[in-house]
Amino acid sequence: MIELRGVCKRVPSGTSTLTILHPLDLTIPSGRVVAITGPSGSGKSTLLGLLAGLDSPSDGHVTLDGVDITALDEDALARLRGQRIGFVFQFFHLLPSLTAMENVLVPMEIAGVKQPARRAATLLADVGLADRTHHYPSQLSGGEQQRVAIARALANDPPLLLADEPTGNLDSQTGRQIIELLLEVNRARQTKIVLVTHDPELAALADVTV
């Protein structure tokens, strides 16, 4: 479960203070898909960064499965992200010099997972890329690159997946395939998914819209 209590974010702006995220209370039960929507500048990506522990709130607390991540130091946050949070981005952020298989292997090798190659192959097969494991990002379509990114995000079997505009750089048909893949991840693994989206079709499929 994710709990936000009185979470807000303010930053200096000249001689005044700018509120990026107004005080927010939110509870996300395990196994749910939550869509964060709203116009540009409304604090969507800021909220995602707070959930990931990539940024600290000005006030309030963020709790992930009973752990108050706002109380953790940087080393503890890094361990938590490596073990419990997967990330999917709009622009994929794959390492261009590595194959699809190698991109998925990276987080597992960092975490010291046993038999990482077998797990990486299974994950790529799960996202429909069993025959593309040795291709480089430049040899893959946008949809295929996002599938690799999802496999990489699931490498350490995190209970939470954060996705920032996961269909924003894809055509509508490919975007729909990625939506269905994310929903299948949620159903099969009971993974909590929190995503930022401008796509009303994607938001409508979530259990909760914020």
Side-chain angles (χ1 to χ4, degrees):
M1 178 181 291
I2 303 171
E3 293 184 280
L4 287 79
R5 294 292 174 260
V7 170
C8 70
K9 183 66 179 180
R10 297 183 296 270
V11 296
S13 179
T15 59
S16 62
T17 300
L18 175 64
T19 299
I20 298 177
L21 185 68
H22 291 274
L24 174 67
D25 292 330
L26 178 65
T27 299
I28 302 172
S30 297
R32 296 296 182 91
V33 178
V34 176
I36 301 172
T37 62
S40 297
S42 61
K44 299 187 301 298
S45 293
T46 297
L47 177 55
L48 209 65
L50 294 171
L51 290 173
L54 295 169
D55 198 1
S56 299
S58 302
D59 290 303
H61 295 270
V62 179
T63 303
L64 172 60
D65 294 334
V67 177
D68 184 354
I69 68 173
T70 53
L72 300 180
D73 61 25
E74 286 302 319
D75 288 342
L77 280 170
R79 288 194 297 272
L80 179 138
R81 284 192 292 266
Q83 296 168 358
R84 304 189 64 79
I85 304 175
F87 299 89
V88 179
F89 303 97
Q90 178 177 355
F91 294 104
F92 323 133
H93 292 304
L94 300 178
L95 296 171
S97 61
L98 301 183
T99 64
M101 171 74 80
E102 290 166 340
N103 267 282
V104 178
L105 280 171
V106 167
M108 286 188 280
E109 291 175 340
I110 292 172
V113 173
K114 294 180 180 179
Q115 298 182 318
R118 179 180 297 178
R119 177 161 174 75
T122 298
L123 286 167
L124 286 167
D126 287 346
V127 299
L129 293 177
D131 60 344
R132 307 288 273 168
T133 59
H134 298 295
H135 288 72
Y136 291 91
S138 62
Q139 299 171 312
L140 301 173
S141 68
E144 288 171 334
Q145 290 184 64
Q146 193 62 298
R147 288 172 180 269
V148 175
I150 292 170
R152 179 184 61 187
L154 297 172
N156 293 330
D157 199 22
L160 173 61
L161 187 65
L162 301 178
D164 194 354
E165 295 285 2
T167 63
N169 200 38
L170 304 172
D171 63 72
S172 58
Q173 181 178 351
T174 305
R176 178 70 193 191
Q177 294 170 352
I178 294 301
I179 292 170
E180 291 172 352
L181 178 56
L182 289 171
L183 293 175
E184 177 56 31
V185 166
N186 169 254
R187 288 190 295 266
R189 299 169 179 266
Q190 288 297 294
T191 304
K192 294 184 291 289
I193 299 178
V194 181
L195 55 93
V196 166
T197 183
H198 283 97
D199 184 343
E201 181 181 7
L202 177 50
L205 295 172
D207 299 310
V208 180
T209 300
V210 179

